[in-house]
Amino acid sequence: MTVTDIDRHTDRHLALLDAGWHVPDAWPGPVHDPEEGTPAERIRAVAASGFASLAIPEAFGGAGADLAGTAAAQRALARRDPHAAIALNMHSLTVGLMTDYWERHRDTTSWLLEGIATQNALVASAFAEPGGSANFLSSVSTARREGRGYVVSGTKYPCSLASTATLVCLSARVAGTDDTIIALCPSASPGLRVEGDWPSLGMNASDTAKLVLDEVEIDDRLVFHRAPADSIDDTVIAGIVWFAVLIGATYHGVLTSLLDLAVKTVTTSDRHGPRTVRIGQAARDLLALGGACRQLARDWTDGSLGGEPALATAMALRSSLSDTRDRVVSTLTPVIGSRMYTRGQHAAALHLDSLAAHHHPPSLLACDEAVGAYCTGRPLGFDPSS
Ligand SMILES: Cc1cc2nc3c(=O)[nH]c(=O)nc-3n(C[C@H](O)[C@H](O)[C@H](O)COP(=O)(O)OP(=O)(O)OC[C@H]3O[C@@H](n4cnc5c(N)ncnc54)[C@H](O)[C@@H]3O)c2cc1C
């Protein structure tokens, strides 16, 4: 979209906020009806539309989208269907991370990526465990060394794509050591089952449930990371960078929908006054968040940012997302009015869905401390100091 296009657009606020987000041509955009079918059916429909293979290299049958392109697709999906977007965010993260890993190691990850692209298969990401932990790498689930792999037991909750994923990327602590493994596990593996669902207040059509692992065998070839839970290597940094950008883009889409509602309230009623300032404040916050997401994506992809500076930037972005969410919601509340608090209203749904932005890793308890630690020459970590 050119500068003139943005200026002439009837929905100028949308054109302004959409500028710079380039959805890969290989994906037609969200075509499903977010009101039709079950959550699992909607998620499968999005996966089948080409979304599942967006971040996979073209050589393996994917669209070869980079981080910025995948993030733009996440945002576009979140504008239409926040619940499907938050679920597929976990897939985009895992596939992006696998691609990133393959680019650094040129190993057999390519077979998995090829399989995912061929089948439009979905990959879940199961790190969180009941009771919570600020450090997403410290796991209560255990992995026992046996034969040519590990036997894993434990519970993962909440886990999105619980019933729709073909593969699950999970973490577990190696018994008798301080190491954590990150491994892929076929969801049809004996001993792996899905239980109940997550009675969350928002984002509740994201196929999020509990995964129970009871002596599940995982082959060594599917283990792509083993290190002490507090060690931060290239794979961990790549994961946090991808996650911070993708989650930022996803909630940017949700909050853009809220701004759209507020703008239409003002323009339809033709009552402006202090509402104009509030629209301006919310738009400015979203422009800054969007710019920060895209900049980190570009800097990561072209290699101008890597290692600990990239990790610090990603953790700063993750904290900023939460701050932005709270400011945008409170700024727009008087403009939108009690629809923000009324059951069945789109505004109320967006309000609750966006609240979930606070409950993703890395924990808000750890982010600012990690950025400060980087700035003052101290070690970065995911565990907030006690
Ligand atoms: C929409 C959505 C989808 C998600 N999908 C996934 C996914 O697919 N995979 C995944 O790994 N994670 C997923 N998560 C989970 C996310 O990664 C967080 O780990 C999880 O939400 C915990 O966040 P928290 O704010 O409770 O922080 P935490 O740091 O885990 O907890 C904060 C504090 O609250 C305490 N606490 C938390 N829960 C309880 C409890 N039940 N009882 C007592 N104390 C508690 C903790 O001990 C800690 O002191 C998802 C989250 C959301 C919002």
Side-chain angles (χ1 to χ4, degrees):
M1 192 176 287
T2 65
V3 173
T4 326
D5 287 340
I6 297 174
D7 211 27
R8 287 194 187 136
H9 205 285
T10 42
D11 284 327
R12 295 169 69 141
H13 60 294
L14 293 181
L16 186 65
L17 288 171
D18 289 353
W21 294 100
H22 302 300
V23 176
D25 291 339
W27 184 51
V31 287
H32 71 291
D33 181 344
E35 307 291 329
E36 286 240 317
T38 64
E41 284 165 352
R42 291 197 286 274
I43 288 167
R44 285 200 186 96
V46 179
S49 69
F51 193 95
S53 54
L54 272 179
I56 297 178
E58 286 174 354
F60 309 137
D66 62 8
L67 177 51
T70 312
Q74 276 295 146
R75 178 179 177 273
L77 181 57
R79 287 274 289 120
R80 167 74 68 97
D81 184 346
H83 301 212
I86 202 68
L88 283 149
N89 190 80
M90 307 315 287
H91 169 87
S92 298
L93 162 72
T94 317
V95 167
L97 183 57
M98 286 166 72
T99 301
D100 201 287
Y101 188 87
W102 176 79
E103 277 165 359
R104 277 181 287 118
H105 297 89
R106 304 276 158 172
D107 63 353
T108 51
T109 316
S110 55
W111 302 348
L112 289 166
L113 289 168
E114 212 162 2
I116 294 167
T118 317
Q119 297 169 39
N120 282 319
L122 289 172
V123 191
S125 173
F127 284 75
E129 296 182 337
S133 165
N135 185 349
F136 65 96
L137 283 178
S138 95
S139 182
V140 176
S141 300
T142 55
R144 192 177 73 244
R145 197 82 179 101
E146 210 168 282
R148 290 192 5 223
Y150 293 87
V151 176
V152 176
S153 293
T155 304
K156 297 291 178 179
Y157 176 81
C159 179
S160 306
L161 300 174
S163 72
T164 37
T166 304
L167 285 169
V168 178
C169 177
L170 53 82
S171 58
R173 180 166 295 241
V174 182
T177 76
D178 283 337
D179 283 4
T180 296
I181 55 163
I182 299 179
L184 286 167
C185 174
S187 46
S189 300
L192 179 65
R193 62 180 194 277
V194 180
E195 277 186 5
D197 62 4
W198 186 25
S200 54
L201 299 177
M203 296 293 196
N204 44 14
S206 52
D207 188 22
T208 304
K210 184 185 286 183
L211 289 189
V212 180
L213 296 116
D214 185 8
E215 299 274 289
V216 177
E217 289 179 20
I218 298 184
D219 190 287
D220 259 340
R221 286 169 297 180
L222 295 181
V223 177
F224 67 92
H225 177 82
R226 176 174 168 162
D230 57 358
S231 101
I232 295 179
D233 60 14
D234 286 350
T235 303
V236 172
I237 293 174
I240 300 296
V241 169
W242 270 78
F243 190 72
V245 171
L246 294 176
I247 208 85
T250 300
Y251 285 99
H252 194 273
V254 177
L255 294 169
T256 300
S257 297
L258 197 66
L259 180 77
D260 182 38
L261 238 150
V263 169
K264 289 190 171 135
T265 302
V266 171
T267 51
T268 311
S269 65
D270 204 19
R271 285 185 299 171
H272 296 265
R275 297 170 190 84
T276 312
V277 174
R278 287 183 175 261
I279 298 284
Q281 285 168 340
R284 124 161 99 82
D285 264 328
L286 289 177
L287 285 169
L289 175 67
C293 283
R294 297 197 304 272
Q295 189 64 46
L296 176 55
R298 266 189 226 114
D299 290 348
W300 174 257
T301 303
D302 71 20
S304 51
L305 197 59
E308 286 202 343
L311 179 61
T313 310
M315 289 178 83
L317 175 61
R318 190 268 167 274
S319 284
S320 301
L321 163 64
S322 273
D323 288 350
T324 302
R325 183 270 169 196
D326 283 351
R327 275 201 306 273
V328 167
V329 167
S330 66
T331 304
L332 295 180
T333 294
V335 180
I336 294 175
S338 60
R339 284 173 298 163
M340 288 285 257
Y341 189 62
T342 306
R343 195 175 296 142
Q345 288 288 334
H346 189 203
L350 293 170
H351 186 187
L352 272 181
D353 290 340
S354 65
L355 191 57
H358 302 318
H359 305 289
H360 295 285
S363 165
L364 291 174
L365 295 172
C367 287
D368 287 343
E369 190 177 352
V371 179
Y374 181 77
C375 293
T376 52
R378 296 170 66 84
L380 276 78
F382 300 115
D383 265 326
S385 47
S386 46

